[in-house]
PDB file of all heavy atoms in Angstrom:
ATOM      1  N   TYR A 147      -1.234  26.109  12.090  1.00 94.00           N
ATOM      2  CA  TYR A 147      -2.629  26.718  12.190  1.00 94.00           C
ATOM      3  C   TYR A 147      -2.912  27.148  13.605  1.00 94.00           C
ATOM      4  O   TYR A 147      -3.371  28.293  13.884  1.00 94.00           O
ATOM      5  CB  TYR A 147      -3.656  25.682  11.749  1.00 94.00           C
ATOM      6  CG  TYR A 147      -5.079  26.178  12.033  1.00 94.00           C
ATOM      7  CD1 TYR A 147      -5.696  26.916  11.045  1.00 94.00           C
ATOM      8  CD2 TYR A 147      -5.716  25.751  13.105  1.00 94.00           C
ATOM      9  CE1 TYR A 147      -7.097  27.350  11.351  1.00 94.00           C
ATOM     10  CE2 TYR A 147      -7.048  26.153  13.385  1.00 94.00           C
ATOM     11  CZ  TYR A 147      -7.645  26.955  12.451  1.00 94.00           C
ATOM     12  OH  TYR A 147      -8.961  27.408  12.689  1.00 94.00           O
ATOM     13  N   GLN A 148      -2.478  26.327  14.575  1.00 95.00           N
ATOM     14  CA  GLN A 148      -2.793  26.656  15.993  1.00 95.00           C
ATOM     15  C   GLN A 148      -1.949  27.832  16.515  1.00 95.00           C
ATOM     16  O   GLN A 148      -2.373  28.408  17.482  1.00 95.00           O
ATOM     17  CB  GLN A 148      -2.791  25.314  16.766  1.00 95.00           C
ATOM     18  CG  GLN A 148      -3.826  24.352  16.435  1.00 95.00           C
ATOM     19  CD  GLN A 148      -3.867  23.294  17.441  1.00 95.00           C
ATOM     20  OE1 GLN A 148      -4.301  23.507  18.520  1.00 95.00           O
ATOM     21  NE2 GLN A 148      -3.602  22.050  17.063  1.00 95.00           N
ATOM     22  N   VAL A 149      -0.720  27.970  15.956  1.00 94.00           N
ATOM     23  CA  VAL A 149       0.105  29.086  16.435  1.00 94.00           C
ATOM     24  C   VAL A 149      -0.690  30.389  16.295  1.00 94.00           C
ATOM     25  O   VAL A 149      -0.578  31.218  17.187  1.00 94.00           O
ATOM     26  CB  VAL A 149       1.378  29.229  15.427  1.00 94.00           C
ATOM     27  CG1 VAL A 149       2.030  30.560  15.567  1.00 94.00           C
ATOM     28  CG2 VAL A 149       2.334  28.055  15.818  1.00 94.00           C
ATOM     29  N   LYS A 150      -1.534  30.603  15.304  1.00 92.00           N
ATOM     30  CA  LYS A 150      -2.260  31.787  15.148  1.00 92.00           C
ATOM     31  C   LYS A 150      -3.700  31.663  15.738  1.00 92.00           C
ATOM     32  O   LYS A 150      -4.085  32.502  16.568  1.00 92.00           O
ATOM     33  CB  LYS A 150      -2.430  32.145  13.695  1.00 92.00           C
ATOM     34  CG  LYS A 150      -3.193  33.393  13.435  1.00 92.00           C
ATOM     35  CD  LYS A 150      -2.566  34.673  14.075  1.00 92.00           C
ATOM     36  CE  LYS A 150      -3.337  35.938  13.777  1.00 92.00           C
ATOM     37  NZ  LYS A 150      -2.850  37.097  14.505  1.00 92.00           N
ATOM     38  N   GLU A 151      -4.425  30.576  15.316  1.00 94.00           N
ATOM     39  CA  GLU A 151      -5.808  30.490  15.631  1.00 94.00           C
ATOM     40  C   GLU A 151      -6.097  30.124  17.090  1.00 94.00           C
ATOM     41  O   GLU A 151      -7.231  30.271  17.606  1.00 94.00           O
ATOM     42  CB  GLU A 151      -6.519  29.564  14.667  1.00 94.00           C
ATOM     43  CG  GLU A 151      -6.412  29.989  13.216  1.00 94.00           C
ATOM     44  CD  GLU A 151      -6.991  31.338  12.927  1.00 94.00           C
ATOM     45  OE1 GLU A 151      -7.924  31.770  13.644  1.00 94.00           O
ATOM     46  OE2 GLU A 151      -6.461  32.075  12.122  1.00 94.00           O
ATOM     47  N   VAL A 152      -5.131  29.424  17.730  1.00 96.00           N
ATOM     48  CA  VAL A 152      -5.315  28.936  19.094  1.00 96.00           C
ATOM     49  C   VAL A 152      -4.417  29.737  20.087  1.00 96.00           C
ATOM     50  O   VAL A 152      -4.896  30.276  21.066  1.00 96.00           O
ATOM     51  CB  VAL A 152      -4.995  27.453  19.241  1.00 96.00           C
ATOM     52  CG1 VAL A 152      -5.156  26.948  20.705  1.00 96.00           C
ATOM     53  CG2 VAL A 152      -6.042  26.623  18.345  1.00 96.00           C
ATOM     54  N   MET A 153      -3.122  29.694  19.752  1.00 96.00           N
ATOM     55  CA  MET A 153      -2.139  30.401  20.669  1.00 96.00           C
ATOM     56  C   MET A 153      -2.128  31.869  20.453  1.00 96.00           C
ATOM     57  O   MET A 153      -1.866  32.615  21.413  1.00 96.00           O
ATOM     58  CB  MET A 153      -0.717  29.830  20.311  1.00 96.00           C
ATOM     59  CG  MET A 153      -0.538  28.346  20.376  1.00 96.00           C
ATOM     60  SD  MET A 153       1.089  27.812  19.934  1.00 96.00           S
ATOM     61  CE  MET A 153       0.819  26.136  19.372  1.00 96.00           C
ATOM     62  N   ASP A 154      -2.470  32.364  19.225  1.00 94.00           N
ATOM     63  CA  ASP A 154      -2.406  33.802  18.947  1.00 94.00           C
ATOM     64  C   ASP A 154      -1.023  34.419  19.178  1.00 94.00           C
ATOM     65  O   ASP A 154      -0.876  35.578  19.715  1.00 94.00           O
ATOM     66  CB  ASP A 154      -3.515  34.599  19.878  1.00 94.00           C
ATOM     67  CG  ASP A 154      -3.673  36.071  19.270  1.00 94.00           C
ATOM     68  OD1 ASP A 154      -3.503  36.171  18.022  1.00 94.00           O
ATOM     69  OD2 ASP A 154      -4.234  36.794  20.031  1.00 94.00           O
ATOM     70  N   LEU A 155       0.002  33.686  18.821  1.00 92.00           N
ATOM     71  CA  LEU A 155       1.364  34.205  18.843  1.00 92.00           C
ATOM     72  C   LEU A 155       1.528  35.328  17.734  1.00 92.00           C
ATOM     73  O   LEU A 155       0.984  35.149  16.653  1.00 92.00           O
ATOM     74  CB  LEU A 155       2.352  33.131  18.656  1.00 92.00           C
ATOM     75  CG  LEU A 155       2.423  31.979  19.754  1.00 92.00           C
ATOM     76  CD1 LEU A 155       3.489  30.979  19.449  1.00 92.00           C
ATOM     77  CD2 LEU A 155       2.701  32.596  21.159  1.00 92.00           C
ATOM     78  N   SER A 156       2.496  36.197  18.074  1.00 87.00           N
ATOM     79  CA  SER A 156       2.765  37.228  17.022  1.00 87.00           C
ATOM     80  C   SER A 156       3.997  36.893  16.244  1.00 87.00           C
ATOM     81  O   SER A 156       4.419  37.681  15.337  1.00 87.00           O
ATOM     82  CB  SER A 156       2.968  38.598  17.706  1.00 87.00           C
ATOM     83  OG  SER A 156       3.978  38.504  18.673  1.00 87.00           O
ATOM     84  N   CYS A 157       4.583  35.740  16.578  1.00 90.00           N
ATOM     85  CA  CYS A 157       5.803  35.248  15.881  1.00 90.00           C
ATOM     86  C   CYS A 157       5.601  33.863  15.316  1.00 90.00           C
ATOM     87  O   CYS A 157       4.528  33.189  15.713  1.00 90.00           O
ATOM     88  CB  CYS A 157       6.945  35.215  16.812  1.00 90.00           C
ATOM     89  SG  CYS A 157       6.816  34.008  18.267  1.00 90.00           S
ATOM     90  N   ILE A 158       6.408  33.415  14.485  1.00 85.00           N
ATOM     91  CA  ILE A 158       6.382  32.014  14.014  1.00 85.00           C
ATOM     92  C   ILE A 158       7.674  31.380  14.551  1.00 85.00           C
ATOM     93  O   ILE A 158       8.814  31.714  14.261  1.00 85.00           O
ATOM     94  CB  ILE A 158       6.402  31.971  12.480  1.00 85.00           C
ATOM     95  CG1 ILE A 158       5.159  32.572  12.021  1.00 85.00           C
ATOM     96  CG2 ILE A 158       6.527  30.434  12.005  1.00 85.00           C
ATOM     97  CD1 ILE A 158       5.059  32.702  10.489  1.00 85.00           C
ATOM     98  N   PRO A 159       7.518  30.362  15.495  1.00 85.00           N
ATOM     99  CA  PRO A 159       8.768  29.746  16.036  1.00 85.00           C
ATOM    100  C   PRO A 159       9.668  29.174  15.023  1.00 85.00           C
ATOM    101  O   PRO A 159       9.150  28.478  14.039  1.00 85.00           O
ATOM    102  CB  PRO A 159       8.005  28.621  16.900  1.00 85.00           C
ATOM    103  CG  PRO A 159       6.822  29.075  17.236  1.00 85.00           C
ATOM    104  CD  PRO A 159       6.273  29.883  15.983  1.00 85.00           C
ATOM    105  N   GLY A 160      10.914  29.384  15.093  1.00 76.00           N
ATOM    106  CA  GLY A 160      11.950  28.897  14.131  1.00 76.00           C
ATOM    107  C   GLY A 160      12.099  29.782  12.992  1.00 76.00           C
ATOM    108  O   GLY A 160      12.823  29.427  12.023  1.00 76.00           O
ATOM    109  N   SER A 161      11.388  30.991  12.925  1.00 74.00           N
ATOM    110  CA  SER A 161      11.428  31.835  11.756  1.00 74.00           C
ATOM    111  C   SER A 161      11.487  33.231  12.222  1.00 74.00           C
ATOM    112  O   SER A 161      10.805  33.585  13.148  1.00 74.00           O
ATOM    113  CB  SER A 161      10.242  31.674  10.839  1.00 74.00           C
ATOM    114  OG  SER A 161      10.232  32.547   9.839  1.00 74.00           O
ATOM    115  N   ASP A 162      12.136  34.113  11.541  1.00 70.00           N
ATOM    116  CA  ASP A 162      12.262  35.578  11.901  1.00 70.00           C
ATOM    117  C   ASP A 162      11.369  36.372  10.925  1.00 70.00           C
ATOM    118  O   ASP A 162      11.317  37.635  11.007  1.00 70.00           O
ATOM    119  CB  ASP A 162      13.750  36.019  11.646  1.00 70.00           C
ATOM    120  CG  ASP A 162      14.674  35.428  12.737  1.00 70.00           C
ATOM    121  OD1 ASP A 162      14.130  34.933  13.767  1.00 70.00           O
ATOM    122  OD2 ASP A 162      15.865  35.393  12.421  1.00 70.00           O
ATOM    123  N   LYS A 163      10.532  35.720  10.198  1.00 72.00           N
ATOM    124  CA  LYS A 163       9.752  36.386   9.186  1.00 72.00           C
ATOM    125  C   LYS A 163       8.797  37.394   9.831  1.00 72.00           C
ATOM    126  O   LYS A 163       8.579  38.418   9.262  1.00 72.00           O
ATOM    127  CB  LYS A 163       8.900  35.257   8.372  1.00 72.00           C
ATOM    128  CG  LYS A 163       8.033  35.922   7.243  1.00 72.00           C
ATOM    129  CD  LYS A 163       7.475  34.840   6.415  1.00 72.00           C
ATOM    130  CE  LYS A 163       6.706  35.416   5.184  1.00 72.00           C
ATOM    131  NZ  LYS A 163       6.153  34.321   4.416  1.00 72.00           N
ATOM    132  N   HIS A 164       8.216  37.095  10.963  1.00 65.00           N
ATOM    133  CA  HIS A 164       7.253  37.963  11.576  1.00 65.00           C
ATOM    134  C   HIS A 164       7.769  38.431  12.963  1.00 65.00           C
ATOM    135  O   HIS A 164       7.044  38.712  13.906  1.00 65.00           O
ATOM    136  CB  HIS A 164       5.888  37.298  11.786  1.00 65.00           C
ATOM    137  CG  HIS A 164       5.226  36.858  10.573  1.00 65.00           C
ATOM    138  ND1 HIS A 164       4.575  37.808   9.764  1.00 65.00           N
ATOM    139  CD2 HIS A 164       5.141  35.677   9.883  1.00 65.00           C
ATOM    140  CE1 HIS A 164       4.057  37.185   8.674  1.00 65.00           C
ATOM    141  NE2 HIS A 164       4.351  36.013   8.675  1.00 65.00           N
TER     142      HIS A 164
END
Side-chain angles (χ1 to χ4, degrees):
Y147 173 84
Q148 297 193 65
V149 163
K150 179 60 179 176
E151 302 300 329
V152 176
M153 307 179 203
D154 196 26
L155 294 182
S156 58
C157 64
I158 298 177
S161 171
D162 295 338
K163 187 175 181 180
H164 297 284

